[in-house]
Short mmCIF file of all heavy atoms in Angstrom, two decimals:
data_model
loop_
_atom_site.label_atom_id
_atom_site.label_comp_id
_atom_site.label_asym_id
_atom_site.label_seq_id
_atom_site.Cartn_x
_atom_site.Cartn_y
_atom_site.Cartn_z
N ALA A 53 17.06 105.51 -93.84
CA ALA A 53 17.10 105.79 -92.39
C ALA A 53 18.19 106.75 -91.99
O ALA A 53 17.69 107.66 -91.00
CB ALA A 53 17.00 104.46 -91.67
N GLN A 54 19.26 106.64 -92.32
CA GLN A 54 20.33 107.56 -92.03
C GLN A 54 20.03 108.94 -92.39
O GLN A 54 20.30 109.85 -91.66
CB GLN A 54 21.67 106.95 -92.48
CG GLN A 54 22.16 105.74 -91.93
CD GLN A 54 23.33 105.14 -92.53
OE1 GLN A 54 23.86 105.60 -93.57
NE2 GLN A 54 23.94 104.11 -91.92
N GLU A 55 19.65 109.02 -93.66
CA GLU A 55 19.34 110.42 -94.18
C GLU A 55 18.25 111.04 -93.35
O GLU A 55 18.09 112.33 -93.28
CB GLU A 55 18.98 110.33 -95.61
CG GLU A 55 20.14 109.84 -96.50
CD GLU A 55 19.65 109.61 -97.89
OE1 GLU A 55 18.45 109.78 -98.33
OE2 GLU A 55 20.56 109.30 -98.71
N ARG A 56 17.28 110.31 -92.90
CA ARG A 56 16.08 110.83 -92.21
C ARG A 56 16.16 110.87 -90.67
O ARG A 56 15.37 111.38 -90.01
CB ARG A 56 14.81 110.03 -92.56
CG ARG A 56 14.37 110.00 -93.98
CD ARG A 56 13.13 109.04 -94.14
NE ARG A 56 12.67 109.04 -95.47
CZ ARG A 56 11.43 109.06 -95.93
NH1 ARG A 56 10.57 109.32 -95.03
NH2 ARG A 56 11.09 108.99 -97.17
N GLY A 57 17.39 110.39 -90.23
CA GLY A 57 17.58 110.54 -88.74
C GLY A 57 16.86 109.46 -88.08
O GLY A 57 16.60 109.54 -86.81
N LEU A 58 16.33 108.36 -88.71
CA LEU A 58 15.67 107.17 -88.01
C LEU A 58 16.75 106.25 -87.51
O LEU A 58 17.65 105.82 -88.26
CB LEU A 58 14.73 106.54 -89.01
CG LEU A 58 13.41 107.17 -89.41
CD1 LEU A 58 12.70 106.44 -90.55
CD2 LEU A 58 12.44 107.05 -88.20
N PRO A 59 16.59 105.86 -86.30
CA PRO A 59 17.71 105.06 -85.69
C PRO A 59 17.44 103.54 -86.10
O PRO A 59 17.36 102.73 -85.25
CB PRO A 59 17.50 105.20 -84.15
CG PRO A 59 16.06 105.49 -84.03
CD PRO A 59 15.63 106.30 -85.23
N PHE A 60 17.43 103.18 -87.32
CA PHE A 60 17.25 101.85 -87.82
C PHE A 60 18.44 101.48 -88.56
O PHE A 60 18.99 102.25 -89.49
CB PHE A 60 16.11 101.69 -88.63
CG PHE A 60 14.69 101.58 -87.85
CD1 PHE A 60 13.77 102.60 -88.07
CD2 PHE A 60 14.46 100.58 -86.97
CE1 PHE A 60 12.58 102.60 -87.36
CE2 PHE A 60 13.36 100.56 -86.38
CZ PHE A 60 12.34 101.53 -86.41
N THR A 61 18.90 100.22 -88.51
CA THR A 61 19.99 99.76 -89.30
C THR A 61 19.80 98.22 -89.62
O THR A 61 18.92 97.53 -89.00
CB THR A 61 21.44 99.99 -88.76
OG1 THR A 61 22.35 99.64 -89.60
CG2 THR A 61 21.59 99.14 -87.47
N GLY A 62 20.65 97.58 -90.49
CA GLY A 62 20.56 96.22 -90.74
C GLY A 62 21.44 95.85 -91.92
O GLY A 62 22.11 96.76 -92.48
N ASP A 63 21.38 94.73 -92.31
CA ASP A 63 22.08 94.32 -93.42
C ASP A 63 21.42 92.97 -94.02
O ASP A 63 20.66 92.29 -93.41
CB ASP A 63 23.58 94.00 -93.20
CG ASP A 63 23.87 92.95 -92.27
OD1 ASP A 63 23.49 91.71 -92.58
OD2 ASP A 63 24.33 93.16 -91.12
N PRO A 64 21.58 92.68 -95.26
CA PRO A 64 20.92 91.42 -95.90
C PRO A 64 21.14 90.22 -95.20
O PRO A 64 20.29 89.29 -95.14
CB PRO A 64 21.49 91.48 -97.40
CG PRO A 64 21.87 92.85 -97.61
CD PRO A 64 22.32 93.35 -96.36
N ALA A 65 22.35 90.09 -94.59
CA ALA A 65 22.68 88.74 -93.89
C ALA A 65 21.80 88.61 -92.68
O ALA A 65 21.39 87.38 -92.29
CB ALA A 65 24.11 88.66 -93.46
N ARG A 66 21.54 89.75 -91.82
CA ARG A 66 20.81 89.61 -90.63
C ARG A 66 19.39 90.07 -90.70
O ARG A 66 18.58 89.69 -89.83
CB ARG A 66 21.51 90.39 -89.62
CG ARG A 66 23.00 89.90 -89.20
CD ARG A 66 23.44 90.52 -87.98
NE ARG A 66 23.76 91.93 -88.20
CZ ARG A 66 23.97 92.85 -87.14
NH1 ARG A 66 24.04 92.37 -85.90
NH2 ARG A 66 24.12 94.05 -87.48
N SER A 67 19.05 90.94 -91.66
CA SER A 67 17.73 91.66 -91.70
C SER A 67 16.75 90.89 -92.45
O SER A 67 15.52 91.04 -92.27
CB SER A 67 17.93 93.06 -92.33
OG SER A 67 18.71 93.69 -91.51
N VAL A 68 17.05 89.98 -93.38
CA VAL A 68 16.28 89.41 -94.25
C VAL A 68 15.88 87.88 -93.48
O VAL A 68 16.82 87.28 -93.18
CB VAL A 68 16.74 89.01 -95.64
CG1 VAL A 68 15.88 88.16 -96.50
CG2 VAL A 68 17.02 90.31 -96.33
N PHE A 69 14.58 87.66 -93.44
CA PHE A 69 14.23 86.34 -92.90
C PHE A 69 14.30 85.14 -93.89
O PHE A 69 14.05 85.25 -95.07
CB PHE A 69 12.67 86.39 -92.33
CG PHE A 69 12.53 87.22 -91.20
CD1 PHE A 69 12.36 88.59 -91.29
CD2 PHE A 69 12.53 86.67 -89.83
CE1 PHE A 69 12.07 89.40 -90.21
CE2 PHE A 69 12.33 87.31 -88.71
CZ PHE A 69 12.12 88.82 -88.92
N ARG A 70 14.80 84.02 -93.43
CA ARG A 70 15.08 82.97 -94.14
C ARG A 70 13.78 82.28 -94.85
O ARG A 70 12.77 82.42 -94.01
CB ARG A 70 15.80 81.71 -93.39
CG ARG A 70 17.22 82.24 -92.91
CD ARG A 70 17.67 81.17 -91.89
NE ARG A 70 18.19 80.00 -92.73
CZ ARG A 70 17.68 78.91 -92.56
NH1 ARG A 70 16.53 78.64 -91.81
NH2 ARG A 70 18.21 77.75 -93.16
N ILE A 71 13.85 81.69 -95.87
CA ILE A 71 12.71 81.06 -96.50
C ILE A 71 12.39 79.77 -95.85
O ILE A 71 11.18 79.28 -95.98
CB ILE A 71 12.90 80.83 -98.10
CG1 ILE A 71 11.54 80.64 -98.69
CG2 ILE A 71 13.86 79.89 -98.38
CD1 ILE A 71 10.58 81.62 -98.72
N TYR A 72 13.32 79.17 -95.13
CA TYR A 72 13.17 77.85 -94.55
C TYR A 72 12.52 78.04 -93.22
O TYR A 72 13.04 78.79 -92.31
CB TYR A 72 14.48 77.16 -94.53
CG TYR A 72 15.26 77.16 -95.84
CD1 TYR A 72 16.18 78.00 -96.14
CD2 TYR A 72 15.01 76.17 -96.77
CE1 TYR A 72 16.87 77.90 -97.37
CE2 TYR A 72 15.58 76.16 -98.00
CZ TYR A 72 16.47 77.02 -98.35
OH TYR A 72 17.18 77.03 -99.59
N ARG A 73 11.51 77.06 -92.99
CA ARG A 73 10.95 77.09 -91.70
C ARG A 73 11.71 76.20 -90.80
O ARG A 73 12.24 75.13 -91.19
CB ARG A 73 9.60 76.63 -91.66
CG ARG A 73 8.54 77.52 -92.54
CD ARG A 73 7.15 76.96 -92.61
NE ARG A 73 6.57 76.99 -91.24
CZ ARG A 73 6.16 75.80 -90.59
NH1 ARG A 73 6.44 74.67 -91.16
NH2 ARG A 73 5.70 75.89 -89.45
N ASP A 74 11.64 76.60 -89.43
CA ASP A 74 12.20 75.65 -88.41
C ASP A 74 11.26 74.71 -87.95
O ASP A 74 10.22 75.03 -87.25
CB ASP A 74 12.77 76.43 -87.22
CG ASP A 74 13.43 75.67 -86.24
OD1 ASP A 74 13.41 74.40 -86.22
OD2 ASP A 74 14.13 76.23 -85.35
N ILE A 75 11.21 73.49 -88.46
CA ILE A 75 10.16 72.42 -88.18
C ILE A 75 10.47 71.46 -87.19
O ILE A 75 9.68 70.50 -87.07
CB ILE A 75 9.77 71.77 -89.57
CG1 ILE A 75 10.91 71.03 -90.13
CG2 ILE A 75 9.17 72.85 -90.54
CD1 ILE A 75 10.65 70.28 -91.28
N ARG A 76 11.60 71.70 -86.50
CA ARG A 76 12.18 70.55 -85.55
C ARG A 76 11.13 70.30 -84.44
O ARG A 76 11.00 69.19 -84.01
CB ARG A 76 13.45 71.12 -84.90
CG ARG A 76 14.61 71.12 -85.99
CD ARG A 76 15.87 71.74 -85.25
NE ARG A 76 15.55 73.19 -84.85
CZ ARG A 76 16.43 73.98 -84.19
NH1 ARG A 76 17.56 73.37 -83.69
NH2 ARG A 76 16.16 75.17 -83.84
N PHE A 77 10.39 71.35 -83.91
CA PHE A 77 9.56 71.07 -82.86
C PHE A 77 8.06 71.56 -83.17
O PHE A 77 7.36 71.88 -82.34
CB PHE A 77 9.96 71.96 -81.75
CG PHE A 77 11.51 71.80 -81.19
CD1 PHE A 77 12.43 72.84 -81.56
CD2 PHE A 77 11.82 70.65 -80.60
CE1 PHE A 77 13.72 72.57 -81.25
CE2 PHE A 77 13.17 70.44 -80.36
CZ PHE A 77 14.17 71.39 -80.63
N SER A 78 7.84 71.46 -84.48
CA SER A 78 6.47 71.89 -84.94
C SER A 78 5.64 70.81 -85.49
O SER A 78 6.35 69.87 -86.14
CB SER A 78 6.64 72.96 -86.03
OG SER A 78 5.37 73.29 -86.53
N HIS A 79 4.46 70.71 -85.32
CA HIS A 79 3.54 69.68 -86.04
C HIS A 79 3.41 70.01 -87.39
O HIS A 79 3.07 69.11 -88.21
CB HIS A 79 2.25 69.61 -85.17
CG HIS A 79 2.18 69.07 -83.83
ND1 HIS A 79 2.71 67.79 -83.48
CD2 HIS A 79 2.03 69.76 -82.54
CE1 HIS A 79 2.70 67.65 -82.14
NE2 HIS A 79 2.24 68.84 -81.58
N ASP A 80 3.53 71.27 -87.70
CA ASP A 80 3.49 71.62 -89.19
C ASP A 80 4.76 71.37 -89.91
O ASP A 80 5.79 72.18 -89.65
CB ASP A 80 3.05 73.05 -89.30
CG ASP A 80 2.78 73.60 -90.59
OD1 ASP A 80 3.08 72.85 -91.55
OD2 ASP A 80 2.38 74.82 -90.81
N LYS A 81 4.97 70.36 -90.78
CA LYS A 81 6.21 70.03 -91.30
C LYS A 81 6.41 70.63 -92.59
O LYS A 81 7.22 70.20 -93.35
CB LYS A 81 6.29 68.50 -91.39
CG LYS A 81 6.20 67.89 -90.05
CD LYS A 81 7.37 68.38 -89.17
CE LYS A 81 7.31 67.62 -87.74
NZ LYS A 81 8.50 68.06 -86.92
N ARG A 82 5.58 71.60 -93.11
CA ARG A 82 5.82 72.27 -94.40
C ARG A 82 7.27 72.99 -94.27
O ARG A 82 7.44 73.77 -93.35
CB ARG A 82 4.74 73.36 -94.63
CG ARG A 82 3.42 72.70 -94.96
CD ARG A 82 2.37 73.76 -95.09
NE ARG A 82 2.08 74.55 -93.91
CZ ARG A 82 1.39 75.50 -93.78
NH1 ARG A 82 0.64 75.93 -94.95
NH2 ARG A 82 1.10 76.25 -92.60
N PRO A 83 8.10 72.79 -95.28
CA PRO A 83 9.49 73.22 -95.09
C PRO A 83 9.73 74.73 -95.31
O PRO A 83 10.71 75.20 -95.00
CB PRO A 83 10.21 72.34 -96.09
CG PRO A 83 9.23 72.06 -97.11
CD PRO A 83 7.91 71.89 -96.38
N TYR A 84 8.76 75.40 -96.09
CA TYR A 84 9.11 76.78 -96.50
C TYR A 84 8.10 77.79 -96.05
O TYR A 84 6.89 77.44 -95.85
CB TYR A 84 9.21 76.83 -97.92
CG TYR A 84 10.11 75.75 -98.64
CD1 TYR A 84 9.61 74.64 -99.27
CD2 TYR A 84 11.48 75.87 -98.52
CE1 TYR A 84 10.50 73.73 -99.80
CE2 TYR A 84 12.42 75.02 -98.93
CZ TYR A 84 11.94 73.97 -99.64
OH TYR A 84 12.63 72.93 -100.19
N LYS A 85 8.52 79.02 -95.73
CA LYS A 85 7.74 80.14 -95.54
C LYS A 85 7.06 80.47 -96.93
O LYS A 85 7.74 80.50 -97.90
CB LYS A 85 8.35 81.23 -94.93
CG LYS A 85 8.98 80.94 -93.48
CD LYS A 85 9.79 82.08 -92.99
CE LYS A 85 10.59 81.57 -91.76
NZ LYS A 85 11.53 82.75 -91.32
N THR A 86 5.82 80.93 -96.86
CA THR A 86 5.19 81.45 -98.16
C THR A 86 5.20 82.85 -98.28
O THR A 86 4.32 83.53 -98.96
CB THR A 86 3.86 80.79 -98.15
OG1 THR A 86 2.97 81.11 -97.12
CG2 THR A 86 3.91 79.27 -98.38
#
Side-chain angles (χ1 to χ4, degrees):
Q54 292 174 348
E55 293 174 354
R56 294 177 182 229
L58 280 170
F60 283 118
T61 190
D63 62 68
R66 293 192 298 171
S67 302
V68 173
F69 288 87
R70 300 170 73 249
I71 192 71
Y72 306 98
R73 297 182 64 248
D74 186 350
I75 61 175
R76 292 172 298 172
F77 308 106
S78 175
H79 293 296
D80 184 353
K81 297 303 181 182
R82 291 177 296 175
Y84 306 107
K85 299 171 185 175
T86 56

